[in-house]
Amino acid sequence: MAKKYIDVMDTTFRDGFQSVFGGRVLMNDFMPAVEAACEAGINHFEFGGGARFQSLFFYLNENAFDMMDKFREVVGSEVNLQTLARGVNTVMLDTGSRELIDLHAKMFAKHGTSTIRNFDALNDVENLKYSGERITHHGLKHEAVVTMMDLPPGCSGAHDVAFYEKTLRGILNAKIQYDSICFKDASGTSSPQKIYETIKMAKKLLPENTHVRLHTHETAGVSVACYLAALDAGADGIDLAASPVSGGTSQPDILTMLHAVKGKNFDLGGLELEKILTYEEVLQDSLKEYFLPPEATQVSPLIPFSPMPGGALTANTQMMRDNNILEKFPEVIKAMREVVEKGGYGTSVTPVSQFYFQQAFNNVMFGNWKKIAEGYGKMVLGYFGHTPTAPNSDIMKLASEQLKMEPTTKNAIDIADSDETKSLKFTKDILKKEGIEINDENIFIVASCKEKGIAFLKGEAKINIRKIEKNRKKESANMANSNGEYTVIVNGEKFNVQVSDGLDSTVEVKSVVSTKPLSPTSTSVEKIIANLPGSVFKVVANAGDSVKEGDVIVILEAMKMEIEIIAPKDGVLISIDVKEGESVENGQLLATI
């Protein structure tokens, strides 16, 4: 009797990179491994979308569409190349308008995509309707998704087999066109028994021969057991990765799973151990210069209590490592349990997982529920769709008060359509103002990446990758800011001067700030300091400006949040002591008023 063929999607170059390196791997470094994977017989790849869209513009100074084109060129026309989309969010963290959702599918079809896996973190079927329609309209295969996790102990009301059946029936009743169904557990917290019962339910409910697959992570230590349970229940496909971006926060390793099914009636993609071993050797050589965070290789017994996805865990720890606050991570993970319990049980997968983490981060850094993170607050108020259960009423009240927004029951896509900043015209006007060519790619880049997309298109983006120390010095030299900073003395008084590159008439003095200490009799002088570490996203005001209490002076970026630093009183800014792009520490002087 022939073994059942199981389709294997190789997630190495999307979810693997995201789960281990926060998506920060340069295109030319990994393309040799893509060739090796093809030679090993891999014919289904996850190659883009999700966080691996924005991250190329944010951190790599690379165009995601160029990367996708190159990937297709390497693998050929017959290979199934798959991307990840977040329903009405597509590859953004915020909801897109119908215009942007359509443009997403159009651009991804243009740039080599075969299949889009389309999920909603709240399992709100309304968020899958239009996004799924546009995917199929543009000739792509649509993989509709039910998102999974386990709730923290003691919680109930969602994320059991009955809840997943209700969601799947909702997809069927909405007549959403699909080519396959995926159950996606980004945190890897579902138990093997629940996986078995869920796949059994789906196979019974769906039309015969519907392709059903499971996606999970090793983060909680049960991924191989879950995949075996899914296969025994009738799953037709699973997702695996290659070392060194397998296991830990990522998917199980291809070699590991080939070993796990020995003696069973399953053929994993027709793959052979020796060929995969060769492919993994090439991949390890390609990535040998990259810093491998230790938490990416571990499983965590705390994850079932606080379901943090593998794809978000290392991205967050790396940001905390960059800001010298990694020691706070255990506290934040512990605080995340309460955030999940009170948030309405949205699945912990981007963007909801980031909302959970940001709120837990705020609870640790600013005090419990003292500062509502914007994403979390908008989620509990209904602006991203309907949560599986009603969020805690006290938290909803806090969110409404702090964000000055009322709860809503409107569909998220309708809210986005009413926002003119999410229209194509709005983005075209920005491109025109910035002197950037107006085309579909550039429109989508700026609409999805905002200021960082503009910086990329204007040639102002910086590379921020993490390689081992012996290479970091060389990269730092290559990526160094060209601006010169000097202290000069004029008539006995010191000034800090920032000068851009140039010769003769082209030289530009960018700023001059006196270093003269403030008069000790100036009792009204007040220092404005950073209340958490991060980087300076934008300097809004200038030295000498008159400001009112509450005016924004500087915007910091920390943990994918923009933190506004405001004037504590009416007055005049004596100095701005930071510049855009600069990293700042907790307690560092930002400005003086």
Side-chain angles (χ1 to χ4, degrees):
M1 179 179 176
K3 292 184 176 182
K4 179 182 178 179
Y5 182 87
I6 304 298
D7 180 77
V8 171
M9 182 169 75
D10 185 342
T11 60
T12 297
F13 305 100
R14 210 295 301 174
D15 207 344
F17 283 176
Q18 178 61 34
S19 297
V20 175
F21 300 119
R24 306 187 194 189
V25 182
L26 294 166
M27 174 172 60
N28 290 335
D29 286 346
F30 70 80
M31 280 300 167
V34 175
E35 295 180 14
C38 291
E39 292 172 3
I42 304 290
N43 57 19
H44 187 182
F45 295 92
E46 187 180 41
F47 84 126
R52 270 286 290 175
F53 183 81
Q54 289 180 322
S55 65
L56 272 71
F57 300 100
F58 287 9
Y59 307 118
L60 303 181
N61 194 23
E62 288 184 348
N63 190 320
F65 293 126
D66 291 344
M67 183 278 293
M68 293 163 68
D69 291 341
K70 178 65 175 178
F71 205 113
R72 173 58 77 186
E73 178 186 332
V74 169
V75 303
S77 60
E78 301 302 315
V79 170
N80 185 3
L81 293 185
Q82 187 161 319
T83 60
L84 186 66
R86 308 169 185 134
V88 292
N89 294 70
T90 61
V91 291
M92 301 175 277
L93 292 177
D94 197 5
T95 309
S97 64
R98 283 178 172 84
E99 288 182 331
L100 291 177
I101 291 168
D102 175 73
L103 186 58
H104 161 261
K106 179 182 177 182
M107 288 296 92
F108 277 59
K110 178 180 177 181
H111 291 281
T113 305
S114 310
T115 304
I116 294 184
R117 174 178 289 173
N118 187 35
F119 74 90
D120 179 62
L122 302 180
N123 279 315
D124 186 343
V125 174
E126 288 295 324
N127 288 343
L128 297 177
K129 287 181 178 179
Y130 188 74
S131 55
E133 174 192 316
R134 303 323 291 168
I135 289 168
T136 56
H137 172 82
H138 287 286
L140 297 163
K141 292 183 178 180
H142 179 217
E143 185 164 279
V145 178
V146 177
T147 56
M148 306 180 72
M149 70 175 185
D150 258 17
L151 295 175
C155 297
S156 61
H159 291 289
D160 53 18
V161 178
F163 173 73
Y164 300 136
E165 180 175 352
K166 177 184 176 183
T167 304
L168 187 54
R169 286 186 183 277
I171 292 172
L172 298 176
N173 293 338
K175 300 189 183 306
I176 296 172
Q177 187 173 341
Y178 62 86
D179 297 274
S180 55
I181 297 290
C182 176
F183 290 88
K184 176 178 173 65
D185 186 347
S187 58
T189 52
S190 296
S191 69
Q193 184 61 27
K194 186 174 80 170
I195 292 291
Y196 178 84
E197 294 175 9
T198 299
I199 299 296
K200 275 287 190 185
M201 172 275 296
K203 278 294 187 178
K204 183 177 180 181
L205 182 61
L206 292 165
E208 190 176 0
N209 297 324
T210 300
H211 184 90
V212 176
R213 60 189 309 120
L214 176 68
H215 170 95
T216 191
H217 288 245
E218 178 61 9
T219 323
V222 292
S223 63
V224 173
C226 285
Y227 274 152
L228 291 174
L231 295 176
D232 287 339
D236 306 290
I238 57 176
D239 298 350
L240 301 171
S243 177
V245 293
S246 58
T249 52
S250 183
Q251 280 70 60
D253 191 88
I254 301 171
L255 291 173
T256 299
M257 203 65 208
L258 285 170
H259 183 67
V261 298
K262 285 179 180 177
K264 289 183 171 289
N265 195 37
F266 304 116
D267 174 9
L268 297 189
L271 300 176
E272 301 175 21
L273 286 166
E274 293 296 336
K275 290 183 179 180
I276 297 299
L277 183 61
T278 299
Y279 155 41
E280 293 200 352
E281 289 173 351
V282 174
L283 179 65
Q284 292 200 33
D285 184 66
S286 297
L287 301 175
K288 64 185 178 183
E289 294 182 350
Y290 284 82
F291 169 67
L292 185 67
E295 62 272 16
T297 64
Q298 301 170 355
V299 298
S300 171
L302 296 179
I303 293 302
F305 295 85
S306 301
M308 168 56 63
L313 190 152
T314 47
N316 287 321
T317 56
Q318 288 283 53
M319 283 188 286
M320 297 182 84
R321 182 178 277 111
D322 287 347
N323 290 311
N324 298 314
I325 51 171
L326 186 58
E327 75 280 358
K328 294 287 186 181
F329 181 71
E331 288 183 67
V332 176
I333 283 293
K334 185 176 181 180
M336 188 172 154
R337 175 175 179 173
E338 182 186 10
V339 169
V340 173
E341 291 173 348
K342 294 184 176 181
Y345 299 159
T347 312
S348 191
V349 60
T350 306
V352 169
S353 57
Q354 198 62 28
F355 300 158
Y356 285 153
F357 190 84
Q358 288 169 346
Q359 187 59 58
F361 180 82
N362 282 0
N363 285 359
V364 169
M365 301 300 291
F366 301 110
N368 211 35
W369 301 109
K370 297 296 184 183
K371 183 177 178 62
I372 298 293
E374 182 181 5
Y376 185 83
K378 289 173 70 176
M379 178 186 71
V380 300
L381 293 174
Y383 285 85
F384 295 111
H386 304 285
T387 54
T389 63
N392 179 277
S393 58
D394 291 336
I395 301 304
M396 290 180 66
K397 183 179 178 181
L398 280 174
S400 182
E401 291 172 350
Q402 291 190 27
L403 300 182
K404 296 178 173 57
M405 302 174 74
E406 293 298 318
T408 183
T409 57
K410 293 180 180 179
N411 287 336
I413 195 170
D414 293 330
I415 296 173
D417 273 349
S418 66
D419 184 347
E420 67 173 10
T421 67
K422 297 179 179 180
S423 69
L424 296 185
K425 180 183 181 303
F426 182 85
T427 306
K428 288 178 182 178
D429 288 344
I430 292 176
L431 292 172
K432 184 177 180 181
K433 178 182 177 182
E434 297 290 344
I436 300 170
E437 180 184 354
I438 298 175
N439 57 45
D440 284 344
E441 283 82 358
N442 289 352
I443 291 169
F444 192 77
I445 289 167
V446 172
S448 58
C449 300
K450 309 301 181 188
E451 290 88 348
K452 292 182 179 179
I454 295 170
F456 169 81
L457 292 173
K458 293 178 71 174
E460 298 170 356
K462 298 178 181 178
I463 299 176
N464 183 4
I465 56 177
R466 303 177 180 97
K467 292 191 176 183
I468 55 177
E469 195 62 37
K470 68 179 181 180
N471 296 292
R472 193 171 293 171
K473 292 179 181 179
K474 179 178 68 176
E475 291 169 7
S476 296
N478 292 337
M479 295 182 287
N481 193 323
S482 62
N483 294 333
E485 296 179 350
Y486 306 92
T487 298
V488 299
I489 301 175
V490 180
N491 293 330
E493 184 176 349
K494 290 183 179 181
F495 293 85
N496 291 332
V497 181
Q498 185 181 20
V499 185
S500 66
D501 278 351
L503 291 172
D504 300 327
S505 61
T506 63
V507 72
E508 177 190 2
V509 178
K510 301 189 72 176
S511 67
V512 179
V513 179
S514 174
T515 64
K516 184 177 180 180
L518 297 169
S519 169
T521 61
S522 301
T523 57
S524 63
V525 167
E526 187 169 338
K527 294 180 178 181
I528 301 172
I529 63 173
N531 53 10
L532 79 170
S535 62
V536 180
F537 177 66
K538 184 180 291 186
V539 175
V540 178
N542 299 302
D545 286 355
S546 295
V547 294
K548 296 290 187 182
E549 180 180 349
D551 285 355
V552 178
I553 298 172
V554 173
I555 301 175
L556 299 182
E557 184 178 51
M559 309 310 296
K560 294 187 180 179
M561 294 183 289
E562 293 177 13
I563 312 295
E564 294 183 343
I565 305 300
I566 61 174
K569 62 179 182 180
D570 295 357
V572 176
L573 289 172
I574 297 172
S575 66
I576 299 292
D577 297 278
V578 291
K579 58 181 182 293
E580 290 183 7
E582 178 182 345
S583 296
V584 298
E585 298 179 357
N586 189 24
Q588 182 172 332
L589 180 66
L590 302 176
T592 307
I593 186 171

